Amino acid sequence: MQELKQIVAHFDIMGEVVRIEPLGQGLINDTYLVTTTSDTPDYVLQRVNTDIFTDIDLLQRNIEVVTRHIRSKLEAQGVDDIDRRVLSLVRTWDGLTYCRDDKGKCWRMTLFIPRSHTVDEVNVATSLDAGRAFGDFERMLIDLPVALGETIPDFHNMELRARQLADAIAANRAGRVSQVRDLLDQLLRHVDSMCQAERLYRQGVLPKRICHCDTKVNNMLLDDEGKVLCVIDLDTVMPSFVFSDYGDFLRTAANEVPEDCERLQDVRFREDIFEAFTTGYIHATRSFLTDVELEMLPFAIQLFPFMQSVRFMTDYLNGDTYYKIKYPDHNLVRARNQLTLYQQVADKESVYRFFINTVKERRSM
Ligand code: GN1
Ligand code: MG
């Protein structure tokens, strides 16, 4: 606590720090809630994992540009309560959006949005709201006047993830390859078809847009009534296929169980959540999504559990260097869970497409 207090002292915050405690379940950064005396705002303090986000200046600049743009849109629309609808970065006494501690670690702060919470599960109503929220997020950024950098280059590039898996198999750093042959065979069988989007991009058929790229359920803040206030965790906001946002939300939200549930028989893709999220998302994005993007949304439903399975598997083979784990086989359990989810959605493309077309053609929602 004393060390964390010293870090907070670099930032221009209001009030006296009363308490600092861990917040959330992120797999990458370390996050804390900084509570101050009762009449002043509370804050979120985060240590940025710079092994993963190697260019902190680019990262913070992206977030600054995006939050400023969204804020000005909300102001223009006359939205109430703007401080609860977009993140606010806190500056250091030197006017920067992050600081380095004496060990070289990078820290940043945002205002804690009062009367807000995150959840790990959603219902139909929240999924409809979430579709709108992530769709609106893309829509608000469609006219961003400056180009954003890729905070993790090729983050959702399936060809890259496939190469990383192949490298991990070849290096066999943790000596685990022989134990997971069955799973690897299943993944490798589908890798090529899962790399369709990159091929279409090279042919100029599929665009990239500014996407959130981590549209997990717990990256939305909800108010006391369960309504979405805003989306958070903006580290991966960058140019990508819209599939990133559509597919990643359904990967977590529509899975009946968490991504690390060991009981594979309980993994189930919830069609009610799919329908609700799709309705909200298409409603918010149909003014700009191209026919190819719409046509390929069912592909995105498959791609994200598949890619996540590949990423967890790669980390497992590399000896768990990327994702935080709680026990030795944690990444393997996650990889199996995600592969199971992929298998469930893989042969349902026509069912999903039918629903998507119905929503697209509906006049109002
Ligand atoms: C990571 O840290 P968190 O939980 O928001 C990861 C996502 C994965 C997710 C899997 C930068 O996100 O891409 O989908 O774990 N973020 C990064 O749970 O790799
Ligand atoms: Mg997160």
Side-chain angles (χ1 to χ4, degrees):
M1 164 93 168
Q2 207 40 46
E3 277 175 30
L4 293 174
K5 264 190 162 169
Q6 280 170 13
I7 290 160
V8 173
H10 286 89
F11 291 86
D12 183 5
I13 65 161
M14 289 188 266
E16 290 294 312
V17 175
V18 175
R19 217 171 33 247
I20 304 183
E21 62 207 314
L23 182 69
Q25 310 282 339
L27 298 185
I28 307 289
N29 299 320
D30 295 328
T31 308
Y32 302 88
L33 171 63
V34 178
T35 309
T36 69
T37 32
S38 61
D39 49 346
T40 46
D42 296 331
Y43 296 88
V44 174
L45 170 70
Q46 249 185 345
R47 185 181 68 79
V48 180
N49 184 333
T50 44
D51 291 339
I52 293 176
F53 298 104
T54 50
D55 188 341
I56 179 98
D57 290 302
L58 181 149
L59 174 75
Q60 290 299 95
R61 182 179 163 278
N62 272 8
I63 297 178
E64 203 178 338
V65 166
V66 163
T67 50
R68 195 192 306 136
H69 192 73
I70 293 180
R71 180 173 286 272
S72 68
K73 286 247 157 122
L74 296 176
E75 279 165 5
Q77 289 164 18
V79 170
D80 302 331
D81 218 7
I82 291 184
D83 285 339
R84 291 172 78 219
R85 303 203 166 260
V86 60
L87 291 179
S88 311
L89 296 175
V90 180
R91 292 192 181 265
T92 65
W93 294 105
D94 302 329
L96 302 175
T97 58
Y98 71 94
C99 75
R100 268 180 216 279
D101 66 15
D102 43 18
K103 297 184 201 90
K105 296 192 167 148
C106 293
W107 297 82
R108 65 179 173 206
M109 290 185 81
T110 49
L111 271 182
F112 176 76
I113 298 188
R115 303 179 309 289
S116 72
H117 64 280
T118 58
V119 290
D120 289 308
E121 266 174 56
V122 286
N123 55 33
V124 166
T126 351
S127 297
L128 180 77
D129 282 353
R132 286 208 187 101
F134 284 113
D136 279 343
F137 183 81
E138 286 174 4
R139 192 163 46 80
M140 285 192 280
L141 296 175
I142 209 130
D143 58 348
L144 196 70
V146 286
L148 294 189
E150 294 197 9
T151 56
I152 301 178
D154 290 315
F155 185 45
H156 281 164
N157 181 326
M158 189 58 227
E159 290 177 339
L160 171 79
R161 299 305 179 187
R163 276 199 302 279
Q164 289 175 331
L165 177 63
D167 292 348
I169 297 172
N172 195 12
R173 229 164 277 142
R176 288 167 160 172
V177 168
S178 62
Q179 301 154 33
V180 293
R181 262 283 150 220
D182 61 321
L183 201 147
L184 288 173
D185 288 345
Q186 295 182 62
L187 289 174
L188 294 173
R189 201 171 315 135
H190 301 287
V191 153
D192 191 56
S193 69
M194 287 292 110
C195 291
Q196 258 189 77
E198 286 74 25
R199 289 191 287 266
L200 291 175
Y201 177 69
R202 280 194 295 273
Q203 291 160 18
V205 177
L206 189 68
K208 285 191 185 181
R209 309 177 180 284
I210 308 296
C211 295
H212 181 281
C213 294
D214 194 13
T215 54
K216 292 193 304 196
V217 179
N218 58 17
N219 281 336
M220 305 184 297
L221 283 187
L222 309 181
D223 68 13
D224 293 341
E225 277 141 41
K227 288 273 170 221
V228 180
L229 285 165
C230 63
V231 306
I232 56 170
D233 201 352
L234 306 181
D235 293 328
T236 51
V237 176
M238 63 177 119
S240 190
F241 305 126
V242 292
F243 308 156
S244 295
D245 290 352
Y246 181 75
D248 218 8
F249 184 87
L250 291 176
R251 177 183 79 76
T252 54
N255 190 349
E256 178 93 44
V257 293
E259 67 186 8
D260 62 353
C261 174
E262 279 183 73
R263 298 181 312 277
L264 299 183
Q265 67 276 18
D266 293 347
V267 170
R268 190 177 71 87
F269 185 75
R270 289 184 53 182
E271 309 237 330
D272 56 342
I273 299 290
F274 153 75
E275 291 186 357
F277 180 75
T278 300
T279 304
Y281 182 76
I282 292 185
H283 180 71
T285 57
R286 67 175 158 189
S287 61
F288 63 86
L289 285 193
T290 66
D291 288 345
V292 176
E293 287 175 307
L294 277 164
E295 178 69 15
M296 286 185 69
L297 291 180
F299 168 76
I301 300 177
Q302 302 171 25
L303 177 62
F304 276 80
F306 184 83
M307 190 188 308
Q308 199 58 60
S309 185
V310 167
R311 292 178 64 195
F312 285 143
M313 196 60 209
T314 304
D315 198 34
Y316 184 69
L317 297 182
N318 287 338
D320 311 306
T321 57
Y322 190 92
Y323 294 108
K324 291 180 194 166
I325 53 163
K326 294 198 173 126
Y327 54 91
D329 278 352
H330 204 163
N331 272 320
L332 177 60
V333 167
R334 290 167 173 152
R336 285 200 192 285
N337 174 306
Q338 293 295 293
L339 180 65
T340 307
L341 187 65
Y342 162 74
Q343 286 161 338
Q344 271 188 29
V345 295
D347 59 350
K348 294 254 193 81
E349 223 173 290
S350 56
V351 178
Y352 304 141
R353 182 160 300 116
F354 180 80
F355 183 80
I356 289 166
N357 287 337
T358 324
V359 175
K360 191 178 78 179
E361 272 139 36
R362 238 183 263 161
R363 288 203 165 269
S364 59
M365 270 165 273

